[in-house]
Amino acid sequence: MKVLGIAGSLRRASYNRALLEAARELCPESMRLDTFDLDDIPLYNADWDVDGLRPAAVDRIKAAVAAADGLLIATPEYNHSVPGVLQNAIDWVSRPAMKSPLVNKPAAIIGASPGAIGGARGQQQLKLVLISTLALVMPHPGVVVGQAPEKFDASGALVHEPTRMFLAAFLKDLETWVHRVAPTPAVRAATHG
């Protein structure tokens, strides 16, 4: 199973990037987690969202989402909501409506924050955004890593064992979710082909 991980932060030392790295380490043997950086995604402009004009970085993320069996998005919380860079990427990938690679794509949300509630409000906002794209958001409270500086070491490794165990169990749940709801390859090809 191929899962695409996206961190909703551009910061290299982001706890959400580190959380995705921990997920890569802890995912089930039958799952491969690849990541996609949002650094090169330009601001959405419908004038450029046409074949032949669409930025190459946008074509790359759309292809990566289409090729994945599921998504794992690690999001921080900015002002009680979704970071602009992540919302922008979703805006690009969600076009054209009803035929985007997000339609019927299994998705799960995780997040880490120095704050006590670990970005829970941002995760709730992201669920609403993903549901509006017709992605199949896993019905789970998610992984909310609060007080992140106490759970990651100086190199960015997740060292808090209870959090590692919870993340590993969550990834098994994601694997089950993808198997349960993902359309068959033939349906996926017809929808996005």
Side-chain angles (χ1 to χ4, degrees):
M1 174 182 299
K2 183 178 173 184
V3 173
L4 183 67
I6 298 172
S9 174
L10 299 179
R11 193 168 65 87
R12 285 290 144 209
S14 157
Y15 289 117
N16 288 283
R17 287 176 183 266
L19 190 57
L20 279 180
E21 286 305 314
R24 186 192 319 258
E25 173 191 341
L26 296 169
C27 67
E29 288 185 17
S30 60
M31 181 187 291
R32 187 177 92 216
L33 178 64
D34 297 322
T35 58
F36 192 98
D37 288 331
L38 302 179
D39 303 42
D40 298 331
I41 306 293
L43 291 175
Y44 182 77
N45 182 336
D47 291 343
W48 293 94
D49 194 11
V50 293
D51 292 341
L53 294 179
R54 194 174 297 111
V58 172
D59 285 337
R60 284 193 300 274
I61 191 171
K62 288 177 78 133
V65 169
D69 296 306
L71 299 177
L72 180 62
I73 301 177
T75 185
E77 177 183 309
Y78 292 0
N79 299 316
H80 294 200
S81 193
V82 179
V85 66
L86 180 56
Q87 178 68 57
N88 180 63
I90 293 169
D91 289 344
W92 276 111
V93 176
S94 68
R95 309 289 197 272
M98 307 303 289
K99 292 187 178 181
S100 87
L102 289 170
V103 173
N104 293 327
K105 184 68 62 176
I109 303 168
I110 60 177
S113 169
I117 63 169
R121 293 170 298 212
Q123 288 192 27
Q124 289 302 313
Q125 293 297 317
L126 181 57
K127 284 179 185 177
L128 293 174
V129 171
L130 290 173
I131 288 168
S132 77
T133 70
L134 303 181
L136 303 173
V137 182
M138 187 168 81
H140 190 287
V143 174
V144 180
V145 182
Q147 301 173 331
E150 299 173 12
K151 296 175 179 148
F152 292 86
D153 67 15
S155 71
L158 180 61
V159 293
H160 187 251
E161 194 55 35
T163 302
R164 290 176 60 82
M165 292 172 58
F166 188 78
L167 178 58
F170 178 85
L171 293 165
K172 287 180 184 173
D173 290 344
L174 173 57
E175 179 182 40
T176 300
W177 178 247
V178 172
H179 282 300
R180 182 183 310 155
V181 302
T184 64
V187 171
R188 195 178 304 135
T191 305
H192 305 298

